[in-house]
Structure formats: C-alpha cells, structure tokens
Amino acid sequence: MKDLPDDSFHVFDTTLRDGAQREGINLTVADKLTIARHLDDFGVGFIEGGWPGANPRDTEFFARARAEIDFAHAQLVAFGATRKAGVQAKDDPQVQALLDSGAPVITLVAKSHDRHVELALRTTLEENLEMVRDTVSHLRAQGRRVFVDCEHFFDGYRANPGYAKQVVSAAHEAGADVVVLCDTNGGMLPAQIDAVVRTVLADTGARLGIHAQDDTGCAVANTLAAVDAGATHVQCTANGYGERVGNANLFPVAAALELKYGRKVLPNGALAEMTRISHAIAEVVNLTPSTHQPYVGLSAFAHKAGLHASAIKVDPDLYQHIDPELVGNTMRMLVSDMAGRASVELKGKELGVDLGGDRELVGRVVERVKERELAGYTYEAADASFELLLREEIEGRPRRYFQVESWRAIVEDRPDGTHANEATVKLWAKGERIVSTAEGNGPVNALDRALRLGLERIYPPLAAMELVDYKVRILEGKHGTESTTRVLVSTADGKGEWSTVGVGENVIAASWQALDDAYVYGLLRAGVEPQE
Amino acid sequence: MKDLPDDSFHVFDTTLRDGAQREGINLTVADKLTIARHLDDFGVGFIEGGWPGANPRDTEFFARARAEIDFAHAQLVAFGATRKAGVQAKDDPQVQALLDSGAPVITLVAKSHDRHVELALRTTLEENLEMVRDTVSHLRAQGRRVFVDCEHFFDGYRANPGYAKQVVSAAHEAGADVVVLCDTNGGMLPAQIDAVVRTVLADTGARLGIHAQDDTGCAVANTLAAVDAGATHVQCTANGYGERVGNANLFPVAAALELKYGRKVLPNGALAEMTRISHAIAEVVNLTPSTHQPYVGLSAFAHKAGLHASAIKVDPDLYQHIDPELVGNTMRMLVSDMAGRASVELKGKELGVDLGGDRELVGRVVERVKERELAGYTYEAADASFELLLREEIEGRPRRYFQVESWRAIVEDRPDGTHANEATVKLWAKGERIVSTAEGNGPVNALDRALRLGLERIYPPLAAMELVDYKVRILEGKHGTESTTRVLVSTADGKGEWSTVGVGENVIAASWQALDDAYVYGLLRAGVEPQE
C-alpha cells in the first residue's frame, strides 16, 4: 500500500451495496467479486460489499471475498442497521451477522430524521439515539472500525436540526470514525449541502462524510460541495449506479479531486485506467456504458464542430479541459457537415493516413462528405465507410471484391400468420458468376445470409464476420414511408468492430449498401487483395 | 404571454444549435420545427435556432419557423459570430445573414480568451474588442436585441482576467442586453463559477448569463452556482444534448429554479408537461430517452428497496424529494402494479373513457400493457394503438374493418441499378375478397398503397388519410439483423394526427402492424361502423 494516500481522506465505494439498487441491475456473487477486483485496481480506500445476514448472497460474498481476493488497496466494508429497538446490540442477530462477515470495517445506517424514527422505525427519538450508541460501542469493543450513515440527514436537518445533530454526536461520541451525512432522497443542491456540512462540523466536531444521490442532477457537485465544507469521506458508486436516478459517480468525483483539487486520492497510475475500469464494470453489470459519461464516455472528448477543428490543429488544449490520456480516454474528431478541412485531416491521421500535404485531395474529400451528408449519410458514426471513401479518393477508385449484378428480397405474410423472408443475390467475384439464395428472419437478414453464403467459399475471412448492431433512421419525416432511409451497421470479426452506413429510398436498399461497405471493409482489414 | 414571468430572468434554450452538436444527432429542418414547438410549449423564453448563413439547413429553418410557427412564449434567436477581422460589420455577409434571418434576437459568439484570439482567430486583442463593439452596435442599430456569448470565458479569465473582463465590458457598453459567460470546455466546478461570476458582475456591471458544459458532471450545478452569484440568464439544452458530454440540461435546471428556488420561470402548467416533452424531443432526435435522467427518467421515482415499501405507504413524501406529478412523472414501485393501474386510469380519462369504477378491467389492461411492453411495444408514443387496446378490452373484441388473408412485398435491385418495390395484399372487407397490387418507393410504401388501393372504394374516408411520419427502432441490438423491430407511424386526415405502433421480427412485418392499427383507428375516428 506504499503509494496510497494516508487515511486523512477516504474514497468509499458502495457500488456493490447501494449501486445494486439500480433498476435493471441484478448481481451474482461472481459479479460482485469481479467488480470488487476492478474497484481495488482503481484504488478506492473502502469497498462496501453488501449487507451480510440480510440475504444469503451478501453473506456468501463476504466469505468468498476474504478467501479469494488479495486486496492491494481497499478495505472491505459490511453494511447493516443499528440494533432493533428494545434489544441489546450484543443480542441482535443482525448485528452479530456483521461481525461474522469478518469485515474489518462496518457501516451502520441510522435514522436521523425525526419523522422517519417515528413513522418508519416506530420508536422514540431517545431510543433511536440509544440504538446508535449501543451498536457503535459494541462493534468498537469487538475491534471493528465503524462508520455511521445518517439516513435522510439533510431532510431531517431541515425538519429538526437539533435532533439530526444529536444523532451525529451520539455516533461520534460512541466511537464512530466517520459520520456520513446522507442526502437519501437526493433533493439537495450544492449551496445547501455546503451550509449544512459547515454547521454540523462546527457544532459536533465529528469527522464527516457525504453520501449524495443524483435526483437533482447535482450528486457530483454536492459531493464536492461537502468536501469544500470540510467532509473528508466521499461515498460514490461506479458509473453512478444506484436507486432512482443513481448515486454520486465515483469517476468524475475521483477525477475532480485528483485533477481539479490536486488532492491525491488514488494510487499512482490508477487514474489512467479509469476509462477501462468504468467500461469493464458496465460489462459486468450488463449495461451499455453511457457514451456521454464525463471523462470516460466514448463522446467525452469527441469534437464535431468545424469551428473547433481548425484551432484543435494548432493546440488541442484550447478545446479540452484536460488531456484525455490522463483518464485513459482519447480525443476523437467526428466528420460531419459542420466540419471542414481540418477535421478531415485529423480524421485521416487517426486512420493512419497523412493528408497534410495534399490540399487538393482534402478539398475533394470535404466536398464528397458534404454532398453525401446532404443526401443523408453520416460519417461520425461510420468510421469504416469514411475510410473507404478516403481510400477511394487516395487510390483513385473504389475497393472492389465483388460486382453485384442484382438482388431481390421477398417478405410474405402467409394465411397461417407466419412470415417467409427470402433473398437472392446475383454477383461476380474472381471471374465467377454466383447466384445464391437464403432465408432469414427478415429481409435484411436473408440478404446478409445470401451474400455471405455466395462469397464465403471465395473469401474465407467472411466466415468470421458477424453483424452485431443495426440501426435505422428515417430522414425527412414529412412524407411518411416516402422518406429517405439511413441504416448504420456494426460488424465484428472477433478482433475488432467497425461501422458502416447506407442510404436509400427504402430500408432494404439502404441496408444493402451498409452491408456491402461492411464486408468490403472487413476484407480490407483482413488483408485480402481487392479484385479488378 | 400573460402568464409568463417577466424579462428579469431568462431561460434560453440552445438545443437546436449547441444541442445539435451531440454525437449522433443529425436534425432535419422538419425535426427542428417540431422541437421548436415542444420548447415553446414548455415555455422557454428564447429558442436559439441555429446559425443562419453558415449552412442552408439553418437558413431554411428560420424562414420556415417564422412562417409556420405561431410562438406562444418563446422568441426566436439567430446565432452567429462577431464580424471578421479587418472588415466592417455592415459589410460582413455573415453578419448580414443574421439580419436576413428575421430573428428578433441575435446571439453573437465572441472570443474572450487571449490565446484563442491569437491562435484561432489570428488577430490582435484590440481588433477582437473592436469586432465585438462594431458587430453589437451594428445589430442594435438595426433594431435587434443582442446577447453576446463569451466563448472560453472561464479558461480565459484564469489566463488573463483583465482581458476577459474587457470583452464583457466592450459587449455591454456597445449595447448587448446580456453577456453570457461560457464554460466552453466544461472544466469548471461550481465554486469556481460562483467566484468568477461574482467578480465579473461587480467589476463590469453587465447583465450576465451562464452557458455550462457537462465535462465535469457539474453543468446543472454550475448553472445554479452562476444564478446564486447573480446571473439572470441560463443557457440549456433539452435532455442535456450537446457536444462531448453535453450541455446543462434544461429540465433539471428549470425544475430546480421553480421547485427549489421558488422562482417562476415557466408559464402556468408547463412543469407538469416536462416528462412528456423530454421524451417527445428524444423521439424526434431518435435517441432513447435516458431512463436515469433526473426528474423525467422512467426510473427517477422508481423504488426498489423493500426497506422503503411500508414507509412509502405511510407517507410517500418520506422517500421522494418532490411529488413526481409536479413534473409529469409518476412514482413506480418496482414490485407492485399500483403505479401501472393509476396511469392506465389516467390515460383512459385522457382519452375520454372513465375506468375508475372497473378495477377488474383496469387490471386486465395493465396486464396486457405490461406483457406487450415486455415484447417491445411502447404506448407512450402511440396513443391510437393504446386506445384500440383499451377499446378492445372494454368492448370485448377488437375493431375490425377488414380481414387480412396474406400480403407479400418484393424489393428488387435490377442490373441497371434501379429498384422495383412491389406489394400484393389479399383481404376481405364487407364480405368481398380483394386482391390488390401496388408499387412504391420502398416495400412499406408499396404495402401502404396496395392496402389503400384495395379498400378505398369500400371505405372512402381512407382517401383523406396520409402517413406523415415513420420511425424505426431496433430493440435488443445484440444480434444485428436478428433483433426485434419497433415501428411508430403517424397518420393524418387533415383534421388531426394519430400514432400507432407495430412490433415484429422484421421491419416489414412491424410496419404492417402499425399501418393496420393506423387505418383501423382512422376509420374509427371517421365514425365508420366496424364490420363483423
């Protein structure tokens, strides 16, 4: 742990406990172990693993995490509630389950809003304070470090500030290391957080933490406001997962602390792994990574405006708030009708083609992109189609692996309610005429199958390629089905993925174009020599 | 405009200009007009429509917006740059294009960061000030209201505060109504925004606005921090669309101002339309609405924790920061169908059907909606399909005007490069068997024509109906063309417009379903009696 910051500031992750409350997330024990490893790699100080005793999955997680993970940076934390009203902490089986988890640190959730004590807990305000004191003291006596989450603290403080502060003091005086002020309903704004944290810190002398929910869209700012006000423990979740809108997102919080505050909270080198770790965790929970997440999203450093592109060539730092490599991300130039020569040159460079010297060529490419985007094409989401266009201009003619003579797709709704989808393609490849027919679950699928069926014998690399995404957009929606159609296709070959675009007067013709580009690009990638 | 707040505080929307910079958004003029109508319904004070003169699409938008939209609340704003170096504003064709747009308000973007003036604009600091003065004065002399966006203001202020403030003063003294401080690179945090806005306000006396980007995840908080510091003009985009990570999101900003600050910034009743408008705009730009967007996301008031359930029954306000109905959203208990029932009843009421008395019927409808939404249907954007489903449950059987025996669509790409699209429909109506074939510019268009050709003689009202919009979305994109397809169709009959949905294993089958619903609903609307 030699390169870790000291204990004076905590980054506390609760992805495995509060993050798992997000609608659509359902973690297995194996998922939780994998995420714990990623979080430890990232270097958070504490990983809250769940509520042992409350469900068998969490109990199992703690047993396996202790046995299977050799944590390099993080300490494992068990979450649970203060003892029940009217029993002693040492006799409460839920409290005992926290000790049995073997976790060196325990977070206790305590009520701090008077109405919640009375209506949800159905006990007296005094008994609630006693529950806090008794449970904290008991766990401390057993040698555990204790943090206390004051649930609904900010709403409670507004309703009854005196009582809310009594709960903080009770936890603090009983030996809790940190008392965490929770904006459980997420309704606070930064200025409110700042004022309350300052006052509570001055009035109680307790070490304070912050737990923010994102219901106002301010969870990151609320967390930072609490830090500004003196909190030294921040609770976050990876990618902001959590109940309702979610929790404070670990990644922008950690990045702000390291890059904007100059406060070292992660081990050396961890920040540069942030984009990878964010996406890896998204994969584990089976949610598509948000393309627009700060710092780590695919679009976070993507530039579209032509206005910017020319200046970016002069100095990229004029148009980005940090160097994307600091967080393991990269700058991307999007080619669109808003962009000009500079973005085409930059895009060329990204694709490994130096266009700097040839103004005439760049001009031609810009003109073709503009013309085609006017017709409905979009290249910002179709890198492979753009590269084919670029190569065509450089090489003076298009790449060709096959010549299409004609194709036909038939969709039939039969009297028994089933559908038949059949396609036939007629084409020439290496001097041979091929006629191929296939069925599919739709006309595009049938065309895709017929095309590959016909060509695989001649171009074996096609066998490894697979369509992995397919998007349709109708342009100029003013004439209903008479509109232009744009199709975006993503294709993968086990080593990488590429996107192509097709536009046509109907969805089948547009799909065909995108498929054609997809396979031409795939064969180019595979190093296959083009035909005459 | 009687129920609108006065001019002392502006909500300024730039979805159509800066929002359109988001990766993946590509707006047609028709899209822009539709979005402008939604924004006007929401009640923003200003709608920045684009950069007239910079591209033909934006020029056309201004011409059509003036002719076609009768704005109830918003004023249309044209965006453009200060004049070029070394020419007079009156002789600069780009400045003239702003006047030609006819927009009553013009936002000028000006450089305020010294390095940008020198490296991107390649002129002197003094000439840049002169460009601001000259352009603002010229536009003011032509009777336009002028706002000035100080690009890269906060980075510029850090580098050279004196010069940044000179730009603000130049704009202010030349007659700009508002000088907008832009965090163009999005790297700021709320405390920094607060401090800079306070100082600039005190030092220049200019009326200030804020334009925040979300690169640190703090755009909403940064916007509110500027308001706390005295800014009275906030620039936002619907759903936070914008370059890179995006802009300050209009919806949480407006909600915070109205509900947390108690500052009236929208017309009466508008806030309760927020969820609907947010989703409607997402449909137009063809992006899935974020389920986790504050206030308006599907999950924004969804409760998963069993811990909360009993207390929510006692008092829902214990577990939500606002009443979701204030923003047109609903609480959802992820384990119960309570919310579902309420929304079906509400929806029934909206359609003029009182379902309040029949719990069993409502339960049946909830079950069918759930089952169908699981299969990929969406009724939020398909009122007519929902009404047909509702009527089917009330009347005990579906409305039928015709019985389809079978249909077939053929798309053929011919050796000469042209396409043939042909469809045949076989159906029964009023005891008669009809076989009808038609061509179209695509398979769906051909099916649509064949269906209407066959039925128009029997049901003359069909002649007045026209497909006006058609949208396709591929669901579960994990297997490319093998995904499920959802089609939304809008149909009009000169008196109104309605939307229907179809889902199927391919785009043609899904389109057929949506067309079928569209014409059944159209005939129902026209008062035609159904057949056996």
Side-chain angles (χ1 to χ4, degrees), chain A residues 23 115 299 315 337 380 468 477, chain B residues 23-24 57 115 315 468 477:
Chain A
E23 185 171 3
R115 268 174 65 78
S299 297
D315 181 356
D337 66 347
E380 66 182 61
V468 292
Chain B
E23 184 170 6
R57 203 157 22 175
R115 268 175 65 77
D315 182 354
V468 292

Side-chain angles (χ1 to χ4, degrees), chain A residues 22-23 25 115 185 187 243-244 260 292 299 304 315 318 332 337 380 406-407 409 411 413 468 477 505, chain B residues 22-25 57 115 185 187 243-244 260 292 299 304 315 318 332 406-407 409 411 413 468 477:
Chain A
R22 178 184 156 119
E23 185 171 3
I25 287 188
R115 268 174 65 78
N185 290 351
E243 194 166 35
R244 303 186 311 276
K260 309 282 179 181
H292 287 69
S299 297
K304 188 168 174 178
D315 181 356
L318 287 175
R332 289 162 59 235
D337 66 347
E380 66 182 61
S406 69
W407 51 259
V411 184
D413 172 87
V468 292
E505 79 271 25
Chain B
R22 179 184 156 121
E23 184 170 6
I25 288 188
R57 203 157 22 175
R115 268 175 65 77
N185 291 350
E243 195 164 34
R244 304 186 310 276
K260 309 282 178 179
H292 287 69
S299 297
K304 187 169 175 177
D315 182 354
L318 287 176
R332 288 162 60 232
S406 69
W407 52 258
V411 184
D413 172 85
V468 292

Side-chain angles (χ1 to χ4, degrees), chain B residues 481-505:
Chain B
T481 45
E482 296 186 17
S483 315
T484 300
T485 303
R486 175 166 73 210
V487 167
L488 286 166
V489 158
S490 297
T491 311
D493 61 2
K495 288 171 228 148
E497 202 174 307
W498 60 95
S499 297
T500 53
V501 60
V503 168
E505 78 273 25

Side-chain angles (χ1 to χ4, degrees), chain B residues 165-246:
Chain B
K165 284 189 286 193
Q166 277 181 57
V167 177
V168 174
S169 293
H172 173 53
E173 286 157 14
D177 261 359
V178 180
V179 183
V180 184
L181 310 186
C182 302
D183 181 19
T184 309
N185 291 350
M188 295 294 132
L189 299 175
Q192 299 168 314
I193 298 278
D194 181 280
V196 174
V197 171
R198 268 177 220 282
T199 308
V200 174
L201 191 62
D203 292 357
T204 66
R207 178 173 181 181
L208 298 182
I210 181 75
H211 174 111
Q213 299 281 143
D214 202 29
D215 298 76
T216 61
C218 294
V220 170
N222 283 345
T223 303
L224 298 174
V227 171
D228 291 340
T232 55
H233 167 117
V234 293
Q235 296 199 352
C236 303
T237 62
N239 302 325
Y241 299 141
E243 195 164 34
R244 304 186 310 276
V245 174

